[in-house]
Amino acid sequence: MPGPLQGKRGVLFLLTSVELVVFLDVSIVNVALPAIGAALGLTVVGLAWVGTAYQVTFGGFQLGAGRATDVLGRRRLFRVGLAVFTLASLLAGVAEWSWLLIAARALQGVGAAILVPAELSLLTAIFVEPAANRRAFGWWSAMGAVGAAGGVVLGGLIVELLSWHWIFLINVPIGVIGLLLSGRMLPADAPISDFRTRLDLPGIITGTSALLLVVYAVTVAAEGDLDALTVLLGMAGLALGATFVRIEMRSPDPLLPFRFFRDPDVTGSTLASVIVGAAHVPAFVFLALYFQEVHRYSALESGLAVLPIAAVNLLVSRTVVPPALAKWGPRVVLTAGMALLAAGLLLLGRLPVDGSFVTDYLPGALIFAAGLPAVFVGSTMPAVKAVAEHETGVISAVVNTAQRIGAGLGVALLAAVAAARTEAADGPYRAALNEGYRLTFLGASGLAALGVLIGLWLVRRSRPAESDAEPASEHTTGSADSART
């Protein structure tokens, strides 16, 4: 009997491989920063911008790109995003000047922002049959988490065996192959008509500008460099956001229809995505710091220390998430995943200064890892299934942008907490650092516990007539009414 992915495994591999590369580029650069700084003469501030430039444009351009996906076509925008990302990777890989590298990283972020909504919209449209949809989203969630966990390891290996240039150049053949295959494997788009009106250009300009400024302010705050100018830019972003809201309320075909948020699945998914970003991204940041500063691991060794998280993530995504979605639906899966995150981070918050890798670190890390694919799927599927098929691009952008903003806020908040606790702690410096990092894990656990409450709210708001699981195959994801799983 053919499996649910029969005849579509190649498409799934293409889409999830791109997801992996995009999220690898968030973390892969970190381990190469010393080599980049030495080669290009970058200061600490300049090195920070190698990462910040990518994060700001990745978060800032997604909403406009999501709308463009819905209006101009999924395959077109997927290929445009992949082309931009590949070109930017080439420019970053050959850069011999710091300004070119930072500009290329910003362009990479634009490409990623175009790619992610198009990719999610394609997954929803291609894998319509419920079992195939669950498996596709299971693999998609795994790639995002593996990218976050594996980037440091891969970056360290590339820098040691080749050079820092190759952390970018490795994307080029992947991108070229993806462009060649996508023209053959992905379904063609309908002809474009009346795109100027439907794109809502005033909304795109104000909304994108607002997001760029807000994401910039949040990202800089997360790096501990908040100053008066950054605060002013953040306030300007909020003012532009208010202008965006006024424009959207008067537009006959708005970029972001606010009717979306009358649906608890959309509101809940957006709030849950903020929590997912705020809880899991700081966990990876502070685990790396814990191993490097408390245990004196090298950057590569600290990356290897999180590999068990990636391995368990893949296992759970493949064997647990799809049947759990089939039996209980994404709302319950989200709630369970948040509970696992909260429990795992709570255990990590008890790490002693001379803790054992096996007995002190692994139990919490593996529980945390088991929850990651569940929260990625559970915070995304309710929203993309609650809207019509031609609106999945913009709603995917909303969910992903919420996660990026949550990540920046979570790192900024918990870094401040860690710094304050470390400064107040008595005793040796390593012990003081450990006290600060333990508190960040406890804080992230508290955020995940808040995510449990959001998940329970979503479960309670389920309509009596609908099951949170998907018992029958006649449901499709192309309809807002039939896709509330």
Side-chain angles (χ1 to χ4, degrees), residues 17-303:
S17 295
V18 169
E19 172 81 1
L20 176 63
V21 169
V22 165
F23 281 90
L24 274 174
D25 264 66
V26 176
S27 58
I28 196 172
V29 173
N30 294 340
V31 74
L33 288 178
I36 292 172
L40 302 183
L42 280 167
T43 64
V44 173
V45 174
L47 283 175
W49 269 100
V50 175
T52 300
Y54 184 84
Q55 293 277 27
V56 168
T57 53
F58 187 14
F61 279 94
Q62 282 199 49
L63 189 59
R67 175 65 171 184
T69 294
D70 292 334
V71 174
L72 303 178
R74 304 178 183 92
R75 188 175 76 172
R76 289 189 189 97
L77 268 293
F78 179 87
R79 301 190 77 205
V80 167
L82 187 55
V84 171
F85 188 86
T86 303
L87 174 62
S89 298
L90 177 61
L91 290 174
V94 302
E96 296 294 340
W97 303 281
S98 57
W99 65 266
L100 179 58
L101 176 61
I102 293 171
R105 286 288 285 166
L107 188 61
Q108 266 192 317
V110 174
I114 298 170
L115 266 173
V116 169
E119 171 205 347
L120 266 173
S121 187
L122 282 163
L123 278 175
T124 304
I126 293 171
F127 298 94
V128 175
E129 194 274 323
N133 188 265
R134 291 189 292 267
R135 289 197 176 276
F137 270 87
W139 279 110
W140 168 83
S141 70
M143 292 304 102
V146 169
V152 175
V153 180
L154 183 59
L157 289 173
I158 290 173
V159 170
E160 286 194 8
L161 298 177
L162 299 169
S163 75
W164 68 265
H165 297 276
W166 282 96
I167 66 171
F168 304 114
L169 293 176
I170 195 172
N171 296 332
V172 176
I174 297 172
V176 171
I177 293 170
L179 284 169
L180 293 174
L181 292 178
S182 60
R184 296 172 176 265
M185 299 174 68
L186 300 180
D189 297 313
I192 300 172
S193 62
D194 195 24
F195 70 91
R196 288 184 180 85
T197 301
R198 294 184 62 210
L199 273 178
D200 182 20
L201 291 177
I204 286 180
I205 292 169
T206 54
T208 300
S209 300
L211 281 172
L212 282 171
L213 291 173
V214 169
V215 172
Y216 168 79
V218 168
T219 304
V220 171
E223 293 165 354
D225 294 327
L226 192 63
D227 55 19
L229 176 60
T230 304
V231 172
L232 285 174
L233 290 174
M235 292 174 64
L238 294 176
L240 279 170
T243 303
F244 168 75
V245 170
R246 287 196 296 270
I247 290 172
E248 296 304 281
M249 291 180 70
R250 298 173 182 173
S251 173
D253 196 3
L255 166 67
L256 179 60
F258 292 118
R259 59 178 168 79
F260 285 168
F261 298 101
R262 296 174 194 156
D263 191 312
D265 280 338
V266 173
T267 304
S269 284
T270 305
L271 292 173
S273 294
V274 174
I275 297 297
V276 170
H280 96 274
V281 172
F284 282 116
V285 170
F286 293 111
L287 275 176
L289 290 172
Y290 167 78
F291 283 118
Q292 291 182 51
E293 297 190 4
V294 176
H295 285 276
R296 303 288 191 259
Y297 282 19
S298 69
L300 179 57
E301 287 170 335
S302 69

Side-chain angles (χ1 to χ4, degrees), residues 388-432:
E389 185 178 315
H390 68 275
E391 296 171 322
T392 53
V394 72
I395 205 66
S396 300
V398 169
V399 170
N400 279 284
T401 301
Q403 190 179 134
R404 299 260 61 79
I405 291 175
L409 289 172
V411 172
L413 173 65
L414 295 176
V417 168
R421 180 66 180 128
T422 298
E423 187 175 344
D426 296 323
Y429 185 59
R430 282 181 64 236

Side-chain angles (χ1 to χ4, degrees), residues 443-455:
S445 176
L447 291 170
L450 180 59
V452 173
L453 298 180
I454 294 172

